[in-house]
Structure formats: C-alpha cells, structure tokens
Amino acid sequence: MSRNRKSAKQAGTRFETAVRDYLAWALQDERIMRPRLSGSRDVGDIANVCFMGQRVCIECKNTAAKAYKQHMREAHVEAGNLDAPFYFVVQKLPGIGIRSINTIGQQLAYTTPQVIDQMRREAPQDIYLHNTANFHPLGHTELIACSLKSLAIILNHGITLGTDHES
C-alpha cells in the first residue's frame, strides 16, 4: 500500500513522537517536546534539547527518499530560526522499528562536520573524544552520521542514558 498525504503525516507524527519520547527518557528531561508548527519560522520538530547550555535543533524525517542534503538544509534554516548553533536530522531507517528504546535508538542521526567541530570546542575534551567514535561519513555526502543513541549519549555528556530500571 502506498502512502498518501494523510498517512505520510501520520507516520511523521508517530516518528517525531517516538524521537521526543526517546530523548526525554534518555536525557531524563520532561521539558523535551514537539513544538507547534510555525510555517517559515519553524524551529525543528523536537524542542528544549540543549548541549552545554546551548540549543540543539532536531529535525525528524520519516521518508523513503534519502534526501540528506535537502533535509540538512531545512535543519540549518530551522536552527537559525531557533538561534541554535547545533542541528541534527534524525532519519527513520527502513525496517527498524520505533516502538522500543533499543530500536528507536538505532535510527540515523546526522549533521555537518562543522557542527561536530563546534560541539568539540564547547565540550570538555574527555566527554567529546569518548563519545564521538561512532560518527561515520553518510554516503557520498559531506555529512556525518551516528545512531540516535550515540547522539543522545553526546547530548547527555557521556552519562548513562535513562534510568537504571528502564535501560
């Protein structure tokens, strides 16, 4: 069965909600939320995520197309609207579920090398160096990627994700 506009929006909403729930759990921060849409002034799909006290723009994509550069341009614009120095796209991977902590953590997170360099400058070196080994080039683009779980560990300054009884 092919997607129509309504089913695509529903799939996107489910994915955004799963990413929000995962990050709220992983970072132990109930303030993480999905903001209202703002048209040309959108500020990303997940709000109230920070790294070293600065805003992080998270754009979620549940698309079959691998439009990495287009999605990254959108995240960059929305980061500007948010005045966020850091921005990532979280892309739903085909065949990987979103209903459990383990599978949602396997989804793809990517950004530019410049964003990672900026994060390196902001973070204590031991935190950064220990938790960025999982970044790898994304196909034939200038982007770099890791799992959502790896991104959450970086955002959480290397501290174990979630609560002991849930991990």
Side-chain angles (χ1 to χ4, degrees):
M1 185 165 104
S2 64
R3 276 193 185 173
N4 58 36
R5 184 168 169 78
K6 181 179 178 182
S7 66
K9 286 185 73 127
Q10 290 171 339
T13 297
R14 280 192 303 274
F15 184 60
E16 290 170 14
T17 300
V19 171
R20 185 237 14 233
D21 291 350
Y22 178 79
L23 289 174
W25 167 81
L27 305 177
Q28 289 296 286
D29 192 341
E30 294 178 8
R31 296 170 296 175
I32 295 173
M33 58 176 271
R34 290 181 56 232
R36 288 188 166 153
L37 298 176
S38 303
S40 65
R41 300 296 301 163
D42 273 352
V43 293
D45 295 321
I46 310 296
N48 299 334
V49 176
C50 292
F51 178 74
M52 303 304 294
Q54 298 185 65
R55 293 177 176 162
V56 178
C57 179
I58 308 273
E59 182 66 22
C60 297
K61 295 295 178 185
N62 186 354
T63 61
K66 294 180 179 178
Y68 301 129
K69 289 181 181 181
Q70 176 186 343
H71 295 158
M72 186 51 51
R73 281 191 298 272
E74 182 180 348
H76 182 258
V77 167
E78 293 182 4
N81 293 342
L82 183 61
D83 196 25
F86 312 118
Y87 50 95
F88 289 83
V89 175
V90 178
Q91 177 82 41
K92 166 78 172 74
L93 293 173
I96 306 291
I98 61 172
R99 297 188 192 271
S100 78
I101 288 170
N102 291 330
T103 57
I104 190 69
Q106 294 174 31
Q107 301 303 330
L108 182 69
Y110 59 93
T111 192
T112 67
Q114 294 81 12
V115 168
I116 296 304
D117 287 345
Q118 174 83 21
M119 292 175 90
R120 179 186 297 129
R121 288 189 295 274
E122 299 290 329
Q125 193 169 13
D126 59 333
I127 290 173
Y128 178 81
L129 293 176
H130 178 70
N131 294 297
T132 57
N134 294 327
F135 278 99
H136 57 275
L138 183 60
H140 298 289
T141 69
E142 66 277 358
L143 304 173
I144 56 175
C146 66
S147 69
L148 178 58
K149 179 179 180 180
S150 292
L151 173 59
I153 290 169
I154 292 167
L155 295 173
N156 208 34
H157 311 296
I159 300 169
T160 303
L161 302 179
T163 57
D164 290 336
H165 67 279
E166 291 181 300
S167 52

